[in-house]
């Protein structure tokens, strides 16, 4: 076949197709195939399909092995806009290497590598695709996926498929060059990824599953770990936050603008207001507007724990918390200037309903409060209790303490 060309009404243009074709009872083969599109040039070493007679070619296509090999082909995604309209936004050529074999229901990809000419994106994949003839059962198993992308390319790709807010665009830009290296498997609804994600903000180890991908409520569950991540830069609030380390089991469910989930694990450190808090253990659940769980910290300058729940619901808001502060060096924590040996300690319980003084009913109790220097001199309060009752007439607040009652 010396030359085939045509223009298709949806935008696909074949400038030239040339190939050596072999056809007999045992084989359909294309060798030295050259395909030219508007901005693409593809050289295919070979395409082969084993047969059991010409008459059975229709059935053989479904079950016999097919092999395709590309070597350094130049493919411009926008040339395929007739099939996938969104690709019209991608005019940068890619160098593509491909070695794939299989049939209509299963393919084995020994190598797929696509590198953009401008160097903004490099993708390498090897693995298997199964049940291609049944979209509902289609699945993939990719032992190796490696992606290197510049932030500008990530913004461009995400923007092409969905609206990207200014804040999301800023966050992606802060990530700089992104590198993904790991393994993935799943189907049209669920994807499991085990690997590393490297960004300019830090390295994140991910071992988890993303479920219900194309539905309104995707769910992630798995392990997230990092030795150093620039939390302040990510939140665009470096005046308050610095770096953070994390090793935890996480579950997150997205429902519109609301995120529900839980975190169970360790925060080896987090930088807040210029101080690094160490050894934090958290087991918390976020369910809509309710936060429930336990957090403990065992730092040289702060030993504390808090447990209970906080529920935001307007005038029906609820707080039920227990707090134990065994030791806090306020000067070392950058919370107070002055005496470097100043120490605070107390225990507290809070249980009330409402969201302001006018509708709150419940109590706050502080026991064994101490704010002292290195010689244990300072302020000591054995008990301090505030009770509010907005269900009675008249409404009242009662204060009971060592030094003041009313």
């Amino acid at each position: 076949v010396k030359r085939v060309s045509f223009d298709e009404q949806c935008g696909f243009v074949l400038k030239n197709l040339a190939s050596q074709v072999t056809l007999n009872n045992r084989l359909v083969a294309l060798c030295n195939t050259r395909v030219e599109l508007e901005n693409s040039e593809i050289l295919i070493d070979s395409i082969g399909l084993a047969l059991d007679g010409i008459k059975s070619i229709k059935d053989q296509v479904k079950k016999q092995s097919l092999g395709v090999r590309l070597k350094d082909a130049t493919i411009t995604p926008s040339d395929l806009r007739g099939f996938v309209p969104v690709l019209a936004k991608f005019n940068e050529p890619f160098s593509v290497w491909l070695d794939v074999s299989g049939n209509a229901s299963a393919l084995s990809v020994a190598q797929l590598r696509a590198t953009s000419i401008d160097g903004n994106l490099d993708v390498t994949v090897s693995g298997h695709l199964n049940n291609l003839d049944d979209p509902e059962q289609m699945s993939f198993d990719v032992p190796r996926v490696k992606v290197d992308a510049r932030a500008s390319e990530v913004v461009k790709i995400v923007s092409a498929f969905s609206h990207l807010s200014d804040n999301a665009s800023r966050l992606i830009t802060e990530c700089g060059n992104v590198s993904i290296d790991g393994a993935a498997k799943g189907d049209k609804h669920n994807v499991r990824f085990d690997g590393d994600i490297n960004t300019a903000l830090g390295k994140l180890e991910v071992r988890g599953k993303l479920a219900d991908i194309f539905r309104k409520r995707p769910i992630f569950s798995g392990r997230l770990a990092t030795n150093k991540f620039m939390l302040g830069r990510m939140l665009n609030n470096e005046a308050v936050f610095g770096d953070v380390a994390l090793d935890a089991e996480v579950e997150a469910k997205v429902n519109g603008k609301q995120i529900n989930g839980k975190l169970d694990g360790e925060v080896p450190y987090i930088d807040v207001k210029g101080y690094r808090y160490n050894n934090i253990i958290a087991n918390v659940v976020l369910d809509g507007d309710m936060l429930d769980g336990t957090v403990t910290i065992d730092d040289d300058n702060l030993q504390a724990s808090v447990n209970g729940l906080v529920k935001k619901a307007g005038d029906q808001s609820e707080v039920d918390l227990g707090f134990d502060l065994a030791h806090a060096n306020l000067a070392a924590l950058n919370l107070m200037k002055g005496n470097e040996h100043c120490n605070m300690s107390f225990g507290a319980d809070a249980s009330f309903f409402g969201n302001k003084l006018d509708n709150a009913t419940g109590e706050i109790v502080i026991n064994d409060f101490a704010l002292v220097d290195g010689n244990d001199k300072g302020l000591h309060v054995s008990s301090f209790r505030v009770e509010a009752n907005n269900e009675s007439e008249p409404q009242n607040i009662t204060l009971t303490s060592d030094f003041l009652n009313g």
Side-chain angles (χ1 to χ4, degrees):
V1 179
K2 293 183 178 180
R3 180 177 177 82
V4 176
S5 64
F6 61 81
D7 292 349
E8 192 270 334
Q9 63 179 357
C10 290
F12 180 70
V13 177
L14 177 65
K15 294 174 65 175
N16 186 27
L17 168 64
S19 180
Q20 279 186 307
V21 182
T22 300
L23 175 62
N24 57 44
N25 281 335
R26 299 297 177 188
L27 179 69
V28 174
L30 284 74
C31 298
N32 301 320
T33 302
R34 182 186 185 90
V35 180
E36 295 180 44
L37 308 179
E38 286 181 284
N39 302 289
S40 303
E41 185 174 306
I42 305 169
L43 300 175
I44 306 175
D45 286 349
S46 64
I47 302 176
L49 175 64
L51 297 177
D52 186 17
I54 292 294
K55 292 182 179 181
S56 64
I57 189 170
K58 180 179 178 181
D59 294 329
Q60 297 297 317
V61 167
K62 295 182 180 180
K63 62 183 182 180
Q64 289 294 341
S65 179
L66 173 70
V68 179
R69 289 193 299 273
L70 301 181
K71 184 178 180 181
D72 199 17
T74 300
I75 300 176
T76 303
S78 60
D79 287 348
L80 305 176
R81 63 189 180 278
F83 305 102
V84 185
V86 73
L87 293 180
K89 300 179 181 181
F90 300 96
N91 298 309
E92 186 64 31
F94 281 78
S95 292
V96 178
W97 292 260
L98 175 64
D99 186 353
V100 61
S101 61
N103 53 43
S105 63
L107 290 177
S108 177
V109 182
Q111 180 192 38
L112 168 59
R113 182 175 183 184
T115 304
S116 62
I117 301 301
D118 60 8
N120 283 341
L121 182 63
D122 187 0
V123 180
T124 301
V125 174
S126 61
H128 305 276
L129 301 173
N130 300 306
N131 302 316
L132 297 176
D133 51 351
D134 185 351
E136 289 301 316
Q137 299 297 321
M138 185 172 61
S139 64
F140 63 90
D141 186 354
V142 182
R144 177 73 191 282
V145 54
K146 190 174 188 305
V147 179
D148 293 297
R150 292 178 181 169
S152 58
E153 192 68 15
V154 177
V155 170
K156 180 180 178 181
I157 293 172
V158 176
S159 299
F161 291 92
S162 64
H163 171 70
L164 194 63
S165 66
D166 291 341
N167 189 52
S169 179
R170 180 203 63 79
L171 178 57
I172 294 174
T173 301
E174 287 287 355
C175 287
N177 295 343
V178 178
S179 176
I180 300 173
D181 192 352
K185 63 189 304 183
D187 52 37
K188 64 181 294 186
H189 300 299
N190 307 293
V191 174
R192 178 170 184 85
F193 177 79
D194 295 287
D196 300 331
I197 301 175
N198 278 285
T199 74
L201 299 178
K203 176 182 176 181
L204 188 64
E205 298 177 32
V206 181
R207 307 286 186 271
K209 182 176 76 171
L210 185 62
D212 297 337
I213 301 170
F214 296 109
R215 299 176 184 176
K216 294 182 178 180
R217 301 178 181 180
I219 303 171
F220 172 82
S221 58
R223 175 177 173 265
L224 297 178
T226 178
N227 291 324
K228 178 182 178 182
F229 198 84
M230 299 178 185
L231 181 64
R233 280 185 59 183
M234 185 186 77
L235 299 176
N236 197 26
N237 193 359
E238 293 181 89
V240 175
F241 297 104
D243 299 338
V244 65
L246 174 70
D247 189 351
E249 293 292 326
V250 177
E251 181 176 305
K253 181 178 181 179
V254 179
N255 184 7
K257 294 183 179 180
Q258 188 177 80
I259 299 179
N260 300 330
K262 61 183 179 181
L263 182 148
D264 184 5
E266 179 184 4
V267 180
Y269 70 82
I270 182 171
D271 299 332
V272 181
K273 286 286 188 176
Y275 181 81
R276 174 160 290 185
Y277 293 83
N278 294 284
N279 304 321
I280 302 169
I281 304 295
N283 186 345
V284 295
V285 176
L286 176 63
D287 185 3
D289 292 320
M290 184 181 74
L291 183 65
D292 186 10
T294 301
V295 178
T296 63
I297 180 169
D298 186 14
D299 183 84
D300 289 344
N301 294 298
L302 177 64
Q303 287 91 48
S305 66
V306 59
N307 67 85
L309 67 85
V310 177
K311 182 179 180 181
K312 182 181 177 182
D315 59 4
Q316 296 299 311
S317 295
E318 179 182 0
V319 174
D320 187 5
L321 291 175
F323 185 77
D324 180 29
L325 179 63
H327 162 64
N329 185 328
L330 302 182
L333 297 172
N334 298 327
L335 298 177
M336 186 178 75
K337 295 181 180 180
N339 189 343
E340 63 180 15
H341 300 295
C342 182
N343 179 63
M344 177 187 287
S345 62
F346 64 88
D349 292 287
S351 178
F352 61 85
F353 293 89
N355 63 344
K356 55 185 178 181
L357 195 59
D358 288 341
N359 60 29
T361 295
E363 66 176 9
I364 299 175
V365 181
I366 299 175
N367 293 311
D368 301 321
F369 178 88
L371 181 61
V372 297
D373 60 17
N375 297 316
D376 200 33
K377 294 182 178 181
L379 177 63
H380 291 268
V381 179
S382 297
S383 178
F384 187 93
R385 179 190 297 266
V386 178
E387 296 177 86
N389 188 345
N390 278 290
E391 296 178 346
S392 65
E393 289 292 342
Q395 298 165 300
N396 64 79
I397 296 175
T398 302
L399 173 65
T400 306
S401 71
D402 297 359
F403 55 89
L404 178 66
N405 297 289

